[in-house]
DNA sequence: TGAAATAGGTTTCATTTGTAACTATAAATA
DNA sequence: TATTTATAGTTACAAATGAAACCTATTTCA
């Protein structure tokens, strides 16, 4: 009889706990890469990355694509603007809507950090075979779709 | 040529990002279960769960088993003690070391919450086949061992 | 139209969290 | 043994976060 069978919750086997344990460690290690060498928070890094990929998007769009709430986006953008890494204007056709872009400096910084984090990702994935990597990707997709469907 | 090939970091494909996205949603949904119905934080819930499984452990042990830092453990235990859910004494043979246990009330509360969170876990896992669940478990193990080995 | 509702962003305030300093006890060592 | 060093836990302060209130601009529709 397994522990789950008799209804005793075993933290070590509990999926949400295991996911959060792993994720916390990874996020922490990853953050080291840019918080120490460059003076950038995790939120700020996310905004840099998303603006590199999608120029001219609004704060709301950036929030949606990064799963950050609008307050966090607003604060990160403000910081990044003050650091001259991001340029913000308001759209002419709708003056509420912001239009965000990396500055030259912002682009430069992105290209300094990106190799570090992809290197970290590669180091992570190195213990998995190509097939396992594909499995993992698929499982994460399934779970993510499921989970966002349940409570959108 | 894929986006990864030309070194442009694509957030949506980046494993740490995808993990953190999924985990945040799950943690949040899960927390709803006990923060709303019972007045318990995520940290407090972790302590309840670990003390149910391992009675008589110290705060340091609890922290190690839950991946919480000692300050978070101290605060959660203090709260739980004030709510009479956890009983804390100091060990006779080493007066620095605490000895923690659930009270009767604490045990009762644990047994109220446990079914809710396991039900949530089951709902989560329901989109995966048994085989996929096993794969996921194995992949998480591999990654977790790897990641803790890299930076212990 | 013009009042009400909505949407994008920002600010404020309270809570949470993390780091570092601190207290008390125990272990190590000189 | 006396002094240093290490360990368990708490406290204090600062930074990060989240919820709600708050502009301002745009829609909606009576």
């Amino acid at each position: 009889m397994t522990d789950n069978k008799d209804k005793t919750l075993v933290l070590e086997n509990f999926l949400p706990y295991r996911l959060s344990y792993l994720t916390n460690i990874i996020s922490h290690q990853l953050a080291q890469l840019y918080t120490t060498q460059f003076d950038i928070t995790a939120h700020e890094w996310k905004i840099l990355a998303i603006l590199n990929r999608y120029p001219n998007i609004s704060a709301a769009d950036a929030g949606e694509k990064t799963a950050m709430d609008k307050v966090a986006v607003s604060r990160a953008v403000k910081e990044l603007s003050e650091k001259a890494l991001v340029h913000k204007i308001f759209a002419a056709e709708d003056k509420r809507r912001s239009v965000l872009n990396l500055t030259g400096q912002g682009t430069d910084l992105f290209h300094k950090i990106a190799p570090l984090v992809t290197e970290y990702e590669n180091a992570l994935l190195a213990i998995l075979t190509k097939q396992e990597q594909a499995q993992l990707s698929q499982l994460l997709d399934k779970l993510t779709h499921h989970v966002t469907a349940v409570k959108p």
Side-chain angles (χ1 to χ4, degrees), chain A residues 15 49-50 61 63 66 72 80 89 96 102 106 110 132 144-145 149-150:
Chain A
L15 178 66
I50 211 71
D61 291 341
T66 55
L80 291 169
I89 57 175
R96 295 170 305 181
L102 296 184
F110 172 81
E132 287 173 327
T144 302
H145 288 143
V150 168

Side-chain angles (χ1 to χ4, degrees), chain A residues 41 43-44 47-48 50-51 57-60 62-63 68 70-90 98-101:
Chain A
T41 68
H43 281 335
E44 289 166 26
I47 297 295
L48 288 184
I50 211 71
L51 290 184
I57 62 175
S58 68
M68 293 166 63
K70 62 180 184 173
V71 177
V73 173
S74 174
R75 292 199 258 239
V77 167
K78 186 182 176 190
E79 259 307 302
L80 291 169
S81 294
E82 286 168 7
K83 292 178 186 165
L85 298 170
V86 161
H87 177 70
K88 176 178 79 176
I89 57 175
F90 286 93
S98 59
V99 179
L100 304 173
N101 277 291

Side-chain angles (χ1 to χ4, degrees), chain A residues 14-75:
Chain A
F14 188 58
L15 178 66
Y17 164 72
R18 292 172 65 195
L19 267 177
S20 126
Y21 186 85
L22 174 62
T23 302
N24 285 346
I25 293 175
I26 290 177
S27 299
H28 205 261
Q29 291 182 1
L30 199 53
Q32 298 280 42
L33 294 182
Y34 40 82
T35 55
T36 56
Q37 311 193 34
F38 312 94
D39 190 30
I40 284 289
T41 68
H43 281 335
E44 289 166 26
W45 164 243
K46 271 194 193 173
I47 297 295
L48 288 184
I50 211 71
L51 290 184
N52 179 75
R53 177 129 174 79
Y54 302 102
N56 293 309
I57 62 175
S58 68
D61 291 341
E64 206 221 327
K65 289 181 192 303
T66 55
M68 293 166 63
D69 77 84
K70 62 180 184 173
V71 177
V73 173
S74 174
R75 292 199 258 239

Side-chain angles (χ1 to χ4, degrees), chain A residues 124-133 136:
Chain A
L124 250 189
L125 291 173
I127 13 93
L128 303 184
T129 65
K130 285 290 167 200
Q131 198 198 351
E132 287 173 327
Q133 294 178 20
L136 178 62

